[in-house]
């Protein structure tokens, strides 16, 4: 905030004045303003998510500098602001009249003084302010993925990975895409996104695309005898039996073992298995992505891949189904994650790799 030096303002208490603030009636002192040399200049970005709060805090802090107001006694969140005219989309200078009602912080009982359950004082004042609405320097572009994995021959639609585009001018910037991805050949590629606003400022974003060869699965779906991994036929839905079976297949194919998820991850996987038992989809019954079950449990993860199956009561029959289906086999025998969360409910298995 910029301003010129100016004289101090005086306070004039008006007995009996009162206003309603934060649903509580509290005493108010009204203030008159003495002659000043200048009025404050407050700068606000067009991209400011709460411009009125920014303006309120700037004006209150300015008042504290010009008077004996102690900011430590002011409850900023309970203090209120009203303004006669405000248009955040119009850049440049404008003069406005701001009305502020200050609330004081609540005090505690120290054993000698009575407890104050409401703000003990407040006063209102009006202030002329010069607003300078400023554009941000560059547009914003955010992708909804950091990287993706495709199989040779898959379709790639780069536009679908644009999550958010914004410019402080409120005019959407132009977006160009340089697609360097060749889905016919395995490899790591980059897709370049560029947002350019009306003033020529630009922002770049990049999506990493890993194109992998398809996993070749034999007709039996497994390269080891699952029945030999443990005794019994895995009919109890033990998630650790499924982990042992998956890691045995991965080891036979020269792959590292997955680590079982922690309690939060296992809880999320159990939720997904339960949901899939009556709504078999990678979209949850509430319409959100399956990964939100892990977000709700506070699981930290990057890219995530989910397998679902309800093929029978045993581990080996369900795992064989996954391994015989190319999309699921890519996850079970993949290298895009190190942790697996396995869930089982009502005959349905879920396995999420991240």
């Amino acid at each position: 905030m910029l301003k010129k030096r100016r004289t101090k303002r005086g306070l004039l208490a008006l007995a009996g004045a009162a206003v309603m603030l934060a649903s509580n009636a509290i005493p108010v002192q009204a203030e008159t303003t003495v002659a000043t040399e200048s009025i404050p200049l407050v700068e606000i970005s067009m991209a400011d998510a709460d411009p009125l709060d920014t303006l309120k805090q700037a004006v209150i802090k300015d008042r504290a500098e010009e008077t004996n107001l102690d900011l430590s006694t002011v409850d900023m969140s309970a203090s209120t602001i009203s303004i006669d005219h405000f248009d955040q989309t119009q850049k440049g200078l404008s003069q406005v009249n701001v009305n502020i009602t200050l609330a004081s912080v609540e005090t505690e009982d120290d054993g000698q003084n009575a407890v104050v359950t409401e703000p003990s004082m407040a006063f209102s004042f009006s202030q002329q302010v010069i607003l300078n609405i400023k554009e941000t320097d560059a547009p914003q572009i955010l992708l909804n993925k950091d990287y993706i994995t495709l199989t040779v021959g898959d379709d790639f639609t780069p536009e679908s990975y644009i999550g958010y585009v914004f410019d402080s001018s409120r005019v959407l910037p132009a977006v160009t895409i340089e697609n360097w991805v060749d889905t016919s050949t395995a490899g790591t590629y980059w897709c370049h996104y560029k947002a350019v606003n009306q003033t020529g400022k630009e922002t770049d974003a990049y999506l990493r695309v890993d194109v992998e060869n398809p996993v070749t699965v034999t007709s039996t779906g497994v390269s080891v005898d699952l029945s030999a991994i443990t005794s019994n036929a895995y009919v109890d839905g033990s998630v650790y039996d499924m982990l042992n079976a998956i890691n045995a297949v991965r080891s036979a194919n020269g792959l590292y073992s997955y680590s079982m998820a922690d309690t939060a991850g296992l809880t999320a996987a159990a939720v997904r298995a339960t949901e899939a038992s009556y709504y078999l989809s990678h979209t949850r019954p509430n319409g959100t992505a399956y990964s939100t079950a892990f977000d709700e449990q506070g699981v930290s993860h990057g890219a995530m891949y989910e397998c679902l199956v309800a093929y029978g009561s045993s581990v080996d029959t369900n795992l064989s189904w996954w391994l015989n289906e190319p999309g699921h086999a890519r996850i079970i025998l993949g290298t895009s994650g190190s942790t697996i969360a396995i869930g089982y409910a009502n005959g349905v298995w879920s396995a999420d790799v991240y």
Side-chain angles (χ1 to χ4, degrees), residues 154-174:
D154 283 352
D155 292 330
F156 174 57
T157 308
E159 294 83 1
S160 64
Y161 298 98
I162 299 175
Y164 175 78
V165 180
F166 177 80
D167 189 69
S168 60
S169 67
R170 303 302 171 94
V171 177
L172 284 178

Side-chain angles (χ1 to χ4, degrees), residues 42-93:
V42 178
E43 295 182 343
I44 294 179
S45 167
M46 283 183 171
D48 194 324
D50 195 351
L52 288 181
D53 185 68
T54 300
L55 178 58
K56 177 182 71 174
Q57 295 202 39
V59 172
I60 292 174
K61 290 175 182 177
D62 172 73
R63 178 56 55 117
E65 292 177 6
E66 296 300 322
T67 69
N68 59 358
L69 175 64
D70 183 356
L71 282 177
S72 67
T73 67
V74 176
D75 186 338
M76 283 285 191
S77 62
S79 300
T80 62
I81 182 172
S82 63
I83 186 171
D84 55 358
H85 175 70
F86 181 70
D87 186 352
Q88 191 182 4
T89 67
Q90 299 298 315
K91 68 177 180 179
L93 297 174

Side-chain angles (χ1 to χ4, degrees), residues 1-321:
M1 179 176 64
L2 305 175
K3 62 179 185 300
K4 296 180 180 178
R5 178 181 175 84
R6 51 187 171 146
T7 60
K8 300 285 187 178
R9 302 188 185 93
L11 299 180
L12 177 63
L14 299 182
V19 296
M20 295 295 294
L21 178 63
S23 303
N24 294 315
I26 58 177
V28 174
Q29 294 176 324
E31 181 184 343
T32 58
T33 304
V34 300
T36 61
E37 296 176 1
S38 64
I39 58 180
L41 170 65
V42 178
E43 295 182 343
I44 294 179
S45 167
M46 283 183 171
D48 194 324
D50 195 351
L52 288 181
D53 185 68
T54 300
L55 178 58
K56 177 182 71 174
Q57 295 202 39
V59 172
I60 292 174
K61 290 175 182 177
D62 172 73
R63 178 56 55 117
E65 292 177 6
E66 296 300 322
T67 69
N68 59 358
L69 175 64
D70 183 356
L71 282 177
S72 67
T73 67
V74 176
D75 186 338
M76 283 285 191
S77 62
S79 300
T80 62
I81 182 172
S82 63
I83 186 171
D84 55 358
H85 175 70
F86 181 70
D87 186 352
Q88 191 182 4
T89 67
Q90 299 298 315
K91 68 177 180 179
L93 297 174
S94 62
Q95 183 169 322
V96 297
N97 187 60
V98 173
N99 298 301
I100 299 285
T101 300
L102 289 177
S104 65
V105 295
E106 298 181 5
T107 58
E108 299 290 339
D109 185 6
D110 61 3
Q112 298 177 349
N113 300 319
V115 175
V116 179
T117 58
E118 298 177 356
S120 58
M121 73 88 185
F123 69 87
S124 297
F125 64 90
S126 296
Q127 173 69 59
Q128 291 291 316
V129 176
I130 299 294
L131 283 181
N132 184 18
I133 307 297
K134 298 182 64 177
E135 285 187 311
T136 53
D137 292 335
Q140 301 175 46
I141 179 168
L142 298 176
L143 305 181
N144 53 32
K145 298 279 188 181
D146 294 323
Y147 66 89
I148 62 170
T149 302
L150 302 175
T151 299
V152 170
D154 283 352
D155 292 330
F156 174 57
T157 308
E159 294 83 1
S160 64
Y161 298 98
I162 299 175
Y164 175 78
V165 180
F166 177 80
D167 189 69
S168 60
S169 67
R170 303 302 171 94
V171 177
L172 284 178
V175 176
T176 60
I177 300 173
E178 293 181 87
N179 180 10
W180 302 323
V181 178
D182 179 8
T183 59
S184 67
T185 305
T188 296
Y189 302 91
W190 294 90
C191 187
H192 178 205
Y193 302 77
K194 178 179 291 185
V196 183
N197 65 15
Q198 291 180 310
T199 64
K201 295 183 175 66
E202 59 187 50
T203 300
D204 299 298
Y206 295 88
L207 174 69
R208 194 187 87 189
V209 181
D210 294 327
V211 179
E212 299 179 347
N213 288 312
V215 176
T216 302
V217 182
T218 65
S219 59
T220 61
V222 294
S223 56
V224 296
D225 182 5
L226 288 177
S227 64
I229 297 172
T230 66
S231 58
N232 303 320
Y234 321 109
V235 295
D236 62 346
S238 167
V239 296
Y240 287 96
D241 279 343
M242 180 62 84
L243 174 68
N244 291 337
I246 289 173
N247 281 337
V249 174
R250 289 179 60 82
S251 177
N253 284 273
L255 300 170
Y256 58 84
S257 294
Y258 283 143
S259 298
M260 183 64 97
D262 59 13
T263 300
L266 289 175
T267 300
V271 168
R272 286 297 300 132
T274 301
E275 291 176 341
S277 69
Y278 62 89
Y279 189 83
L280 189 59
S281 171
H282 294 300
T283 299
R284 301 180 67 190
N286 63 7
T288 61
Y290 62 84
S291 59
T292 61
F294 291 80
D295 298 335
E296 290 169 359
Q297 297 298 324
V299 176
S300 177
H301 63 84
M304 177 175 285
Y305 307 92
E306 182 176 73
C307 293
L308 297 173
V309 67
Y311 195 72
S313 60
S314 65
V315 166
D316 54 350
T317 55
N318 284 275
L319 180 54
S320 293
W321 188 94

